[in-house]
Amino acid sequence: MNIFRFLGDMTHLISILILLLKIYATKSCSGISMKTQELYALVFLARYLDLFTNFVSVYNLIMKLVFIASSLAIVWCMRRHPLVRRSYDKDLDTCRHYFLIGGSFVLALLWHEKFTIEEIFWAFSIYLEAVAIFPQLVMLQRSGNVDNLTGQYVLFLGAYRGLYILNWIYRYVTEKHFGRWIAVISGVVQTALYADFFYYYFLSWKNNGKLQLPA
């Protein structure tokens, strides 16, 4: 644990809370990609197969439970809640996310740290998380206009990944046997996907205007 990882975790939690606030306060998931949320649910389920077999700390256990429960709750609301599901923009959420799932799994079989079930699924979750935001970004570009809560949700998700890159750099400098290069490279790729969004978010903040992405 270090300050960058802790801030990354807190930023991630804030992004989830913003999304839950949007859904429960407005009873709407307009502008939110269900495919991205399904990918995140799959990410956490695959990553935390060791939930009850590898105890690290109370903090670690709580974070695992929160991420799994919140991601499944969001997917449930978007699929089953009688009011929320009506606002889902299916026609805009057109990214074929099963290609992302298949590609991530094949990559995990080819590049992993140990040939065990837990390590392969860990690698799969890292690769999948790197591209999980892609359907959401595509959806935002298709819609053009981005509401404040959705914009803040994506912003904090991107900040979380940026802080985790600092976490990996810190660990590389301070640890003698650093070996999580899969996470580092995937984190860089994921953060790069946010670059365009960050640019237009900065412009909207600078000009005190509404966030709009080019179609």
Side-chain angles (χ1 to χ4, degrees):
M1 176 59 69
N2 59 70
I3 187 62
F4 301 113
R5 179 179 176 180
F6 177 75
L7 290 176
D9 287 343
M10 294 303 103
T11 306
H12 195 181
L13 279 178
I14 291 172
S15 73
I16 293 173
L17 290 174
I18 289 173
L19 183 53
L20 289 172
L21 173 65
K22 172 185 170 67
I23 291 175
Y24 283 98
T26 66
K27 295 296 185 294
S28 170
C29 62
S30 177
I32 301 299
S33 168
M34 184 190 297
K35 293 179 179 180
T36 281
Q37 300 309 316
E38 289 174 342
L39 291 179
Y40 276 124
L42 186 55
V43 163
F44 298 130
L45 288 171
R47 182 173 302 170
Y48 301 139
L49 290 176
D50 63 348
L51 181 62
F52 300 110
T53 60
N54 183 27
F55 179 79
V56 177
S57 66
V58 174
Y59 172 85
N60 183 267
L61 177 62
I62 291 174
M63 296 300 285
K64 289 178 179 180
L65 290 172
V66 167
F67 289 139
I68 291 174
S70 60
S71 62
L72 292 176
I74 291 169
V75 171
W76 180 88
C77 282
M78 295 185 71
R79 282 188 170 275
R80 300 297 181 186
H81 193 285
L83 295 179
V84 174
R85 67 181 184 180
R86 295 178 186 174
S87 59
Y88 171 53
D89 302 318
K90 184 178 180 179
D91 293 336
L92 295 177
D93 197 14
T94 57
C95 182
R96 297 177 179 177
H97 63 326
Y98 44 82
F99 284 120
L100 302 177
I101 297 172
S104 297
F105 191 73
V106 170
L107 190 56
L109 290 174
L110 297 175
W111 189 19
H112 48 263
E113 295 185 0
K114 295 178 182 178
F115 193 73
T116 64
I117 292 177
E118 284 189 1
E119 284 295 325
I120 288 175
F121 274 94
W122 178 84
F124 165 67
S125 75
I126 294 297
Y127 297 137
L128 187 59
E129 186 180 15
V131 294
I133 195 62
F134 189 69
Q136 179 66 67
L137 296 175
V138 170
M139 187 176 185
L140 292 181
Q141 284 194 321
R142 287 180 178 273
S143 63
N145 294 322
V146 183
D147 66 76
N148 288 335
L149 288 177
T150 302
Q152 291 172 10
Y153 162 68
V154 177
L155 176 70
F156 277 98
L157 265 183
Y160 141 66
R161 292 316 304 173
L163 286 166
Y164 253 68
I165 289 178
L166 296 178
N167 161 61
W168 296 124
I169 293 174
Y170 176 84
R171 290 185 60 181
Y172 174 75
V173 173
T174 58
E175 295 180 11
K176 291 184 179 180
H177 303 289
F178 178 80
R180 290 297 193 180
W181 291 107
I182 290 175
V184 174
I185 296 172
S186 298
V188 171
V189 170
Q190 184 178 0
T191 305
L193 289 176
Y194 288 91
D196 192 56
F197 175 86
F198 285 156
Y199 173 73
Y200 286 101
Y201 192 96
F202 172 75
L203 288 182
S204 68
W205 172 80
K206 181 181 179 181
N207 299 322
N208 196 27
K210 185 176 179 60
L211 177 59
Q212 292 182 317
L213 301 179

